[in-house]
Amino acid sequence: MSEDFKLDATARNDLGKGASRRLRRLANQVPAVIYGGNVAPASVSVSHNELMKHLEHEAFYSHIISLNVDGTAQDVILKDVQRHPSKPVVLHLDFLRIDKSTKVHTHVPLHFINEAISKGVKIQGGKVVHNLTQLDVICFPHQLPEFIEVDLANAETGTIIHISDLKLPSGVVSADLQKGADHDLAVATLVKPKGAAEGEEA
């Protein structure tokens, strides 16, 4: 895992939708809440400009963030981002406090590799359907991977890659598989080209 991200925040007491709109419009700040642990939820705000720079990095969504609230830093992970439906504006954030000695349940992006050179695509003319784009995982904060690779090099048409087929980093487990084998979801499916008849394969 790469170096933790750092983000400055300011505690806020002026709550409600009206106060949030004023924050965004007048101060270019994004309202946020920090929850979790044995501490009461706290309302804060962060700079929209600073936040947008961090959101350009995929790792920001799954890494530990050192959130500096009025000079006091605390470790959090980003749990939810509410965006404007038509403008490049973030409306609200949810941060989860973490303890580096306690496992966290969060999601990590999936990176699909060797898709174009796989037998099913390059030779058989198939198409890869991404059933999942991120994976829910459970691990200690220091074990959080930046992403998880899904290698499609050997995939043929008709292949379905499930969560159990993925190679997860040491200490990282799938939250879905912890629920049982019937939660072994499809991650990617290599479908046959349109118009291909069953008899053609035979």
Side-chain angles (χ1 to χ4, degrees):
M1 194 176 97
S2 60
E3 185 178 352
D4 297 349
F5 288 90
K6 293 181 173 62
L7 183 64
D8 291 327
T10 303
R12 61 188 181 95
N13 297 314
D14 190 9
L15 308 180
K17 292 183 178 180
S20 295
R21 283 195 294 268
R22 286 193 295 274
L23 265 178
R24 289 189 289 264
R25 186 178 68 251
L26 301 178
N28 198 30
Q29 295 280 308
V30 181
V33 63
I34 312 169
Y35 64 93
N38 297 319
V39 185
S43 296
V44 300
S45 63
V46 301
S47 163
H48 191 274
N49 291 342
E50 184 182 1
L51 174 67
M52 293 303 286
K53 292 178 183 177
H54 285 309
L55 291 178
E56 293 176 359
H57 301 277
E58 183 183 50
F60 186 71
Y61 295 85
S62 59
H63 276 49
I64 297 173
I65 303 166
S66 179
L67 191 63
N68 187 345
V69 182
D70 295 332
T72 301
Q74 52 189 297
D75 291 329
V76 301
I77 55 175
L78 183 62
K79 290 297 289 185
D80 187 51
V81 181
Q82 296 179 22
R83 301 175 186 269
H84 192 281
S86 60
K87 300 177 182 178
V89 174
V90 175
L91 301 178
H92 192 272
L93 302 168
D94 286 352
F95 294 106
L96 174 66
R97 297 184 186 94
I98 61 168
D99 178 348
K100 292 186 177 182
S101 63
T102 303
K103 290 184 177 181
V104 295
H105 179 177
T106 188
H107 52 263
V108 173
L110 296 173
H111 281 192
F112 297 86
I113 63 172
N114 297 321
E115 184 171 325
I117 65 171
S118 68
K119 180 180 179 181
V121 173
K122 188 174 183 180
I123 299 176
Q124 299 172 328
K127 177 185 178 182
V128 177
V129 175
H130 300 162
N131 303 98
L132 298 178
T133 57
Q134 59 187 21
L135 187 69
D136 284 344
V137 301
I138 299 172
C139 63
F140 287 107
H142 71 274
Q143 296 171 323
L144 270 173
E146 185 173 333
F147 55 84
I148 294 171
E149 287 187 346
V150 182
D151 192 351
L152 299 166
N154 298 318
E156 301 184 20
T157 55
T159 297
I160 300 176
I161 298 176
H162 292 86
I163 295 174
S164 59
D165 298 318
L166 303 181
K167 294 181 179 178
L168 302 183
S170 177
V172 179
V173 299
S174 161
D176 289 298
L177 291 185
Q178 295 295 295
K179 302 173 186 175
D182 55 337
H183 290 270
D184 191 8
L185 305 176
V187 174
T189 306
L190 215 159
V191 298
K192 298 174 184 177
K194 286 185 177 179
E198 292 294 331
E200 290 180 6
E201 285 194 358

